[in-house]
């Protein structure tokens, strides 16, 4: 396993801090516990998400099913909506604390606890249908919501309510002689119920009650034994350690499977058993190798799908937003546990592309699926009485996680992961440090960070150097620093007020060949995937090739029109030259709702040797591509070589995304 050597420090720290005792190993990086104000493109999306989606949610609609308790089978998952919404609302309050938001949280928890039965159950399923369908999945989200409220308030009444809710599940399973690993939906091998692992371990961490850890331990042991759904058990730990492709681990339901691995992260924190961390790392590396597509998400029809290889094709229901969110949450866990900047690179990729593209421009709604070719389609409401879908409820959880990883801390240091314009306040070694990020990254390359401790002090400031930034520069008060892409540049010095760090990441346009070997190319600029959009690229009879510069002319340089020469078409990528670049010229004449756009040179090659010419086409950022969420606004990421402009855009992809609909879905109006 390639990642074991990079884990040497993690294992050493674990052995020193835990010694396989009950003392949990510390995260190598900790979430920002100070204040954060993120501005620019991402800051705007966060603010709109809070004001137009999370904090305008009708709480009674979500809570009504808990009072009614009429759900009964696999068609019913209203039980998940409150926990998803509430964990988003808790993150919103952490980011923008205030009395109004706090009152919303208080009132919602109070109303939820009124529905708790004398037996401790909080849920939406009828008594006769307990443990059926998505019931345990919903109980998980109730626990996550209650624990997030406890973490904010330290309200022991709420912690006791959460414990009673968990106790009810443990008792009911015992009374009915059902193993948790044999519970849940047959079609997905019970993965939904097994994801209860995460909140059970979180409950143990907060109460110290060993019965919750015993429950978790027994569940993980049962994963390795024959069970109701699989003859050899789910094998999540064993197959994770072996980096088995996700599509070959149990049922290939991406969202629920990753949720189980989130639970293993908490088990590592609780026990210090490195086999759990190694299993999650092996699984995550396998996702990168086999499933994670170019924009930072995965899945087709909600399943693992060999997505790395398949992504250049038209997919039916690609990249479920719930999968995007859960992949980001798993990367966040690994960033905390390992301190490896790779996982911050992944978070940034997903944030600027798959996640940002799934949110409607006004922040009020989300897509269910996000294509790389075709049109964006807003999610339908899966339960009209609640007015939500799984992805609309879940999307904010990923976006509002951003302030937690943008700047992080460790013993004696601050780690900067996000370079969006922002202001952060955080303590290090007891000294309050204000970090001001002045940039419009990733539109332009200059990032200026002002470091202002409240007193001159020595500490480490670590800046994430993205793995793609192979030609960047970084200075401290004018002195150039050395660093390695794909790591943190750690600067330990005595910092004083108004010290300046300036980072110039490498924002050249990069050509990305199709992983399958298909003759298709995509373009990336920094963390941003680019696409063509029919608002800026008009269909024509031309066939065009995307080429790096300098163009490969026979015997001469690029000549004026009419030159009797030829250009050899090729992307410039060879075993010796694994990265090729293209010139990207910023475009200012673009639609107002497009964040960034660039002219790129394409080749028109009408015959074998003669009349080859250059043509400029506009590429825009993936999140803006198709962002009108209409049947008329089409886009594509992967560009066949050559690309026939007359059929560059595929129409009516909503019909394969929603085959059961006769009318194209539309986002609800505010």
């Amino acid at each position: 396993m390639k990642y074991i050597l990079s884990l040497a420090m993690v294992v050493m720290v674990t052995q020193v801090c835990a010694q396989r005792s009950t003392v949990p190993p510390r995260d190598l990086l900790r979430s920002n516990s100070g204040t954060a104000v993120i501005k620019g493109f991402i800051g705007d999306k966060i603010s709109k998400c809070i004001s137009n989606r999370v904090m305008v949610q009708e709480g009674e609609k979500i809570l009504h099913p808990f009072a009614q308790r009429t759900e009964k089978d696999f068609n019913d998952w209203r039980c998940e909506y409150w926990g998803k919404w509430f964990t988003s609302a808790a993150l919103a309050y952490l980011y923008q604390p205030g009395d109004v938001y706090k009152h919303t949280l208080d009132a919602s928890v109070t109303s939820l606890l009124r529905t708790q039965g004398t037996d401790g159950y909080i849920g939406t399923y009828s008594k006769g249908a307990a443990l059926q369908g998505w019931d345990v999945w919903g109980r998980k989200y109730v626990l996550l919501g209650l624990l997030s409220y406890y973490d904010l308030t330290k309200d022991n009444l709420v912690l006791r309510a959460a414990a009673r809710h968990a106790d009810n599940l443990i008792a009911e399973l015992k009374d009915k002689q059902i193993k948790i690993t044999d519970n849940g939906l047959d079609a997905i091998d019970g993965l939904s119920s097994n994801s209860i692992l995460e909140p059970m371990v979180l409950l143990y961490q907060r109460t110290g009650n060993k019965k919750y850890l015993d429950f978790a331990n027994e569940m993980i042991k049962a994963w390795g034994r024959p069970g109701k759904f699989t003859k050899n058990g789910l094998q999540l730990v064993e197959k994770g350690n072996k980096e088995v492709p996700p599509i070959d681990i149990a049922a290939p339901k991406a969202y629920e499977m990753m949720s189980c691995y989130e639970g293993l992260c908490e088990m590592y924190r609780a026990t210090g058993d490195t086999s759990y961390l190694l299993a999650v790392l092996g699984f995550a590396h396998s996702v990168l190798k086999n499933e994670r597509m170019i924009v930072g998400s995965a899945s087709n029809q909600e399943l693992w799908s060999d997505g790395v290889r398949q992504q250049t094709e038209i997919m039916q229901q690609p990249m479920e937003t719930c999968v995007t969110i859960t992949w980001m949450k798993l990367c966040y866990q690994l960033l905390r546990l390992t301190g490896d900047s790779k996982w911050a690179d992944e978070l940034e990729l997903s944030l600027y592309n798959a996640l940002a593209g799934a949110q409607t421009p006004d922040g009020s709604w989300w897509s269910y699926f996000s294509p790389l070719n075709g049109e964006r389609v807003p999610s339908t409401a899966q339960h009209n009485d609640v007015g939500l879908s799984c992805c609309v409820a879940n999307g904010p959880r990923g976006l509002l996680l951003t302030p937690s990883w943008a700047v992080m801390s460790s013993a004696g240091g601050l780690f900067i992961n996000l370079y969006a314009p922002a202001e952060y306040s955080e303590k290090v070694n007891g000294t309050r440090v204000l970090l001001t990020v002045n940039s419009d990254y990733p539109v332009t390359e200059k990032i200026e960070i002002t470091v202002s401790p409240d007193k001159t002090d020595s500490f480490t400031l670590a800046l994430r150097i993205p793995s793609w930034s192979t030609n960047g520069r970084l200075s401290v008060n004018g002195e150039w620093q050395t660093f390695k892409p794909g790591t943190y540049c750690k600067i330990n010095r005595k910092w004083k007020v108004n010290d300046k760090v300036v980072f110039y990441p490498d924002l050249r346009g990069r050509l990305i060949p199709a992983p399958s070997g298909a003759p298709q190319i995509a373009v990336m600029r920094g963390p941003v995937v680019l696409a063509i959009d029919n608002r800026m690229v008009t269909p024509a009879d031309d066939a065009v090739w995307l080429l790096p510069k300098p163009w490969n002319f026979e015997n001469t340089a690029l000549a004026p029109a009419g030159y009797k020469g030829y250009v050899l078409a090729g992307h410039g990528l060879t075993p010796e030259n694994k990265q090729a670049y293209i010139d990207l010229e910023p475009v200012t004449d673009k639609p107002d709702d497009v964040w960034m756009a660039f002219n790129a040179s394409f080749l028109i090659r009408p015959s074998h040797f003669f009349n080859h010419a250059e043509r400029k086409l506009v590429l825009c950022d993936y999140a803006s591509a198709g962002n009108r969420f209409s049947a008329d606004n089409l886009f594509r990421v992967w560009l066949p070589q050559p690309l026939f402009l007359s059929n560059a855009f595929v129409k009516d992809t909503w019909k394969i995304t929603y085959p059961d609909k006769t009318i194209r879905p539309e986002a609800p109006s505010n």
Side-chain angles (χ1 to χ4, degrees):
M1 292 177 286
K2 297 178 181 178
Y3 56 86
I4 288 181
L5 289 178
S6 67
L7 269 179
M9 181 178 292
V10 178
V11 174
M12 179 182 69
V13 170
T14 300
Q15 290 171 343
V16 171
C17 295
Q19 297 295 328
R20 301 303 293 265
S21 71
T22 58
V23 179
R26 294 181 180 273
D27 287 350
L28 296 188
L29 294 181
R30 296 187 293 276
S31 302
N32 180 25
S33 60
T35 61
V37 178
I38 300 174
K39 305 173 186 177
F41 177 75
I42 295 299
D44 182 61
K45 285 195 165 290
I46 290 173
S47 294
K48 286 178 177 176
C49 178
I50 293 173
S51 60
N52 295 343
R53 170 73 259 139
V54 175
M55 288 305 180
V56 296
Q57 177 62 48
E58 295 182 58
E60 291 306 311
K61 273 191 173 183
I62 301 178
L63 288 169
H64 185 69
F66 288 87
Q68 295 297 109
R69 294 192 186 178
T70 58
E71 296 200 301
K72 59 184 181 304
D73 59 32
F74 67 92
N75 292 307
D76 298 321
W77 59 87
R78 294 170 183 82
C79 48
E80 73 171 28
Y81 293 137
W82 180 84
K84 285 184 174 181
W85 167 77
F86 191 88
T87 51
S88 298
L91 289 170
Y93 173 74
L94 275 173
Y95 180 63
Q96 295 179 347
D99 292 342
V100 174
Y101 291 173
K102 180 60 164 51
H103 174 74
T104 299
L105 298 178
D106 293 343
S108 184
V109 168
T110 299
S111 295
L112 178 79
L113 293 186
R114 289 196 190 105
T115 72
Q116 186 165 30
T118 56
D119 58 359
Y121 176 73
I122 305 173
T124 61
Y125 273 64
S126 64
K127 192 170 184 61
L131 303 180
Q132 301 300 308
W134 295 96
D135 183 32
V136 176
W137 173 259
R139 298 189 199 207
K140 173 190 80 170
Y141 275 110
V142 167
L143 281 172
L144 289 175
L146 291 175
L147 291 173
S148 70
Y149 184 79
Y150 171 75
D151 289 344
L152 284 175
T153 64
K154 302 305 177 189
D155 187 332
N156 284 315
L157 288 175
V158 173
L159 185 61
R160 285 197 289 272
R164 290 181 59 224
H165 180 53
D167 293 346
N168 169 259
L169 173 62
I170 294 171
E172 196 160 12
L173 290 167
K174 183 178 180 180
D175 290 346
K176 295 182 178 180
Q177 297 185 335
I178 297 173
K179 294 179 181 178
I180 188 64
T181 48
D182 290 341
N183 179 257
L185 302 174
D186 290 15
I188 59 174
D189 290 349
L191 288 170
S192 51
S193 293
N194 282 269
S195 70
I196 195 75
L197 175 66
E198 180 190 10
M200 281 293 190
V201 183
L202 291 172
L203 189 59
Y204 163 70
Q205 292 171 3
R206 283 148 184 76
T207 64
N209 192 327
K210 194 170 177 292
K211 69 178 172 183
Y212 305 122
L213 183 62
D214 291 341
F215 179 89
N217 275 319
E218 183 54 39
M219 180 188 303
I220 293 171
K221 288 178 183 177
W223 286 353
R225 302 172 186 150
K228 173 183 175 183
F229 304 117
T230 56
K231 65 179 181 179
N232 295 315
L234 295 175
Q235 298 277 315
L236 298 181
V237 176
E238 295 85 351
K239 291 188 176 182
N241 271 299
K242 293 178 182 177
E243 292 192 50
V244 172
I247 201 169
D248 294 326
I249 303 175
K253 190 69 162 61
Y255 172 20
E256 289 79 358
M257 186 182 294
M258 286 190 289
S259 297
C260 293
Y261 281 101
E262 285 187 274
L264 281 181
C265 290
E266 296 302 341
M267 278 297 284
Y268 169 64
R269 284 196 183 89
T271 67
D273 188 335
T274 56
S275 69
Y276 299 144
L277 177 58
L278 290 170
V280 181
L281 278 165
F283 170 75
H285 279 85
S286 188
V287 171
L288 288 176
K289 179 181 178 181
N290 298 288
E291 296 291 348
R292 195 269 284 154
M293 300 181 212
I294 191 170
V295 295
S297 186
S299 78
N300 188 33
Q301 296 182 314
E302 304 183 17
L303 307 176
W304 300 123
S305 60
D306 195 17
V308 167
R309 188 176 63 86
Q310 289 286 338
Q311 64 183 301
T312 57
E313 306 304 313
I314 297 175
M315 304 179 85
Q316 292 169 283
Q317 295 172 324
M319 295 189 294
E320 183 192 13
T321 295
C322 284
V323 172
T324 305
I325 302 313
T326 314
W327 171 243
M328 292 181 73
K329 289 170 75 252
L330 192 63
C331 290
Y332 172 60
Q333 290 270 24
L334 291 175
L335 178 61
R336 292 164 58 195
L337 290 169
T338 70
D340 187 341
S341 65
K342 169 191 295 185
W343 306 112
D345 283 0
E346 288 297 317
L347 283 162
E348 180 186 51
L349 176 72
S350 300
L351 174 66
Y352 280 113
N353 297 286
L355 187 68
Q359 184 189 32
T360 58
D362 67 356
S364 67
W365 206 248
W366 294 77
S367 62
Y368 197 152
F369 305 105
S370 293
L372 295 172
N373 187 349
E375 63 191 284
R376 296 196 187 278
V377 185
S379 177
T380 57
Q382 293 166 322
H383 298 105
N384 289 325
D385 56 332
V386 179
L388 286 173
S389 75
C390 59
C391 292
V392 173
N394 221 4
R397 299 175 74 213
L399 186 56
L400 298 180
L401 189 66
T402 306
S404 299
W405 60 265
V407 169
M408 304 178 78
S409 63
S410 70
L414 295 178
F415 287 68
I416 301 177
N417 291 311
L418 186 68
Y419 294 116
E423 293 179 356
Y424 304 98
S425 175
E426 181 62 291
K427 277 190 175 181
V428 57
N429 297 333
T431 298
R432 176 68 59 184
V433 181
L434 176 65
L435 298 174
T436 304
V437 183
N438 292 308
S439 78
D440 62 353
Y441 170 88
V443 177
T444 58
E445 64 178 10
K446 183 178 180 180
I447 301 163
E448 183 180 86
I449 301 168
T450 303
V451 185
S452 293
D454 59 14
K455 66 178 186 295
T456 300
D457 196 7
S458 294
F459 57 88
T460 297
L461 185 68
L463 291 94
R464 178 179 63 90
I465 309 299
S467 58
W468 45 259
S469 185
T470 58
N471 197 30
R473 296 172 295 143
L474 189 150
S475 68
V476 179
N477 293 337
E479 296 182 5
W480 296 107
Q481 309 292 308
T482 59
F483 55 80
K484 180 182 177 182
T487 65
Y488 286 102
C489 177
K490 297 180 180 179
I491 307 162
N492 185 272
R493 67 191 303 273
K494 189 169 285 189
W495 297 91
K496 62 183 185 303
V497 173
N498 289 330
D499 278 343
K500 292 287 193 296
V501 178
V502 182
F503 178 34
Y504 296 90
D506 183 359
L507 294 184
R508 289 177 292 172
R510 309 191 307 282
L511 296 186
I512 312 297
S516 66
Q520 300 203 41
I521 298 176
V523 182
M524 293 189 70
R525 183 179 180 273
V528 174
V529 175
L530 301 182
I532 57 172
D533 182 297
N534 69 346
R535 290 171 291 180
M536 293 165 283
V537 173
T538 304
D541 292 333
D542 295 326
V544 297
W545 304 77
L546 179 60
L547 293 177
K549 285 205 174 179
W551 285 7
N552 183 7
F553 271 76
E554 182 73 5
N555 299 325
T556 186
L558 181 60
Y563 165 69
K564 304 302 185 190
Y566 65 93
V567 182
L568 298 177
H571 50 51
L573 297 170
T574 67
E576 295 74 28
N577 177 29
K578 296 182 180 180
Q579 182 63 73
Y581 298 90
I582 61 168
D583 291 337
L584 295 172
E585 176 188 351
V587 172
T588 55
D589 184 16
K590 57 183 177 58
D592 291 340
D593 51 1
V594 170
W595 179 30
M596 62 174 85
F598 305 91
N599 268 322
S601 292
F602 286 71
L603 168 69
I604 299 176
R605 184 187 176 192
S607 66
H608 48 12
F609 292 118
F610 303 103
N611 300 320
H612 294 191
E614 177 181 7
R615 174 167 179 170
K616 300 281 189 179
L617 293 181
V618 176
L619 304 174
C620 72
D621 63 286
Y622 173 80
S624 296
N627 68 354
R628 292 185 180 171
F629 282 78
S630 81
D632 298 323
N633 187 190
L634 308 176
F635 71 99
R636 74 179 301 150
V637 168
W638 290 102
L639 307 176
Q641 300 294 285
L643 171 65
F644 295 94
L645 292 177
S646 61
N647 63 355
F649 302 105
V650 180
K651 297 180 180 180
D652 293 330
T653 54
W654 73 268
K655 293 179 180 178
I656 61 170
T657 302
Y658 287 100
D660 58 332
K661 303 294 181 184
T662 56
I663 299 175
R664 187 181 188 279
E666 297 293 338
S669 57
N670 286 338

